Amino acid sequence: MPQEFLPSLLGGFSRGATSRGDWIWPAIWMLPVVNTYGAWPASGEIHLVESRGNHTYEQRGNNIISSTMHWGANSDTDSYWRTSKKHASLHNTYKAGFHKFGLEWSESYLFTYVDSRLQEVLYSPFSEPQWTRSAFSSRKGKAVLVDPWSQTGRDNTPFDIEFYLILSVAVGSTNGWFEDGKSGKPWVDNSPLAIADFWAAKDERYPTWIDGKAQMTIKSLKIWQQYS
């Protein structure tokens, strides 16, 4: 049986500003140190905050952030849509100034917020086994699904193991993060020429990246643990 993650509370926050620029994808996220329960997403993934650099409402741009937890028996059963929430900036974009992006993670819940704990983004309680919560079918097509978490007897599995932190600024994607046909997107995800089409439009997007706009600026990063 996998050993339970010892800290009863893992908290932290990043004081920073997200990126601005067409087709920029800034994120602060976490992956398991060891895939204890199997390949992604069986061992979980946590997105404290992610956004889009585009300054446009149609593309849900840099005035909106989201927090997401990925978990499932396999990639086809990723239940991120049950644990994903968005939060809009009240007065400006998240690039316009510094913000506190916070995470509280315990054996009872996972909670993210922006600037203040009163501004909740995602709250996900571990009040029942994740397998039960997912309402997975006993069969997915012809493949029998097996609960990868039942041996622990804990409701917070797979979010009961150690994760490491990632601060990243990606460019483009072909996984749907930028929707086809929106905001003048110059490529189509499923096209075999997606990368070439993205590169061909470089003169259109480059002016939105210059003068440090596309940078993710971090002022401070703090992490602490409380042991039981």
Side-chain angles (χ1 to χ4, degrees), residues 110-172:
L110 190 146
F111 169 64
T112 68
Y113 61 92
V114 57
D115 292 330
S116 165
R117 293 184 79 258
L118 298 178
Q119 293 194 70
E120 172 187 312
V121 181
L122 172 67
Y123 176 74
S124 180
F126 300 125
S127 55
E128 61 179 326
Q130 294 295 95
W131 185 261
T132 303
R133 182 184 187 185
S134 69
F136 293 141
S137 169
S138 61
R139 298 183 66 86
K140 181 69 175 179
K142 296 182 179 180
V144 176
L145 292 178
V146 177
D147 180 355
W149 312 311
S150 61
Q151 73 272 27
T152 73
R154 295 188 290 270
D155 291 346
N156 60 332
T157 307
F159 300 101
D160 57 351
I161 54 178
E162 291 185 87
F163 281 57
Y164 62 92
L165 184 68
I166 305 167
L167 295 90
S168 62
V169 178
V171 177

Side-chain angles (χ1 to χ4, degrees), residues 50-126:
E50 55 186 336
S51 185
R52 297 173 179 83
N54 298 60
H55 186 57
T56 167
Y57 176 79
E58 182 187 30
Q59 195 56 252
R60 298 190 299 276
N62 55 17
N63 64 321
I64 294 176
I65 60 169
S66 61
S67 293
T68 304
M69 298 160 62
H70 291 269
W71 48 286
N74 53 41
S75 58
D76 291 333
T77 58
D78 181 13
S79 293
Y80 74 92
W81 53 275
R82 293 181 179 271
T83 49
S84 182
K85 296 290 184 181
K86 298 180 177 64
H87 191 281
S89 175
L90 296 178
H91 304 294
N92 212 319
T93 73
Y94 286 103
K95 177 61 177 177
F98 287 101
H99 295 273
K100 180 190 293 184
F101 302 112
L103 164 69
E104 290 184 11
W105 174 19
S106 78
E107 73 276 10
S108 301
Y109 64 88
L110 190 146
F111 169 64
T112 68
Y113 61 92
V114 57
D115 292 330
S116 165
R117 293 184 79 258
L118 298 178
Q119 293 194 70
E120 172 187 312
V121 181
L122 172 67
Y123 176 74
S124 180
F126 300 125

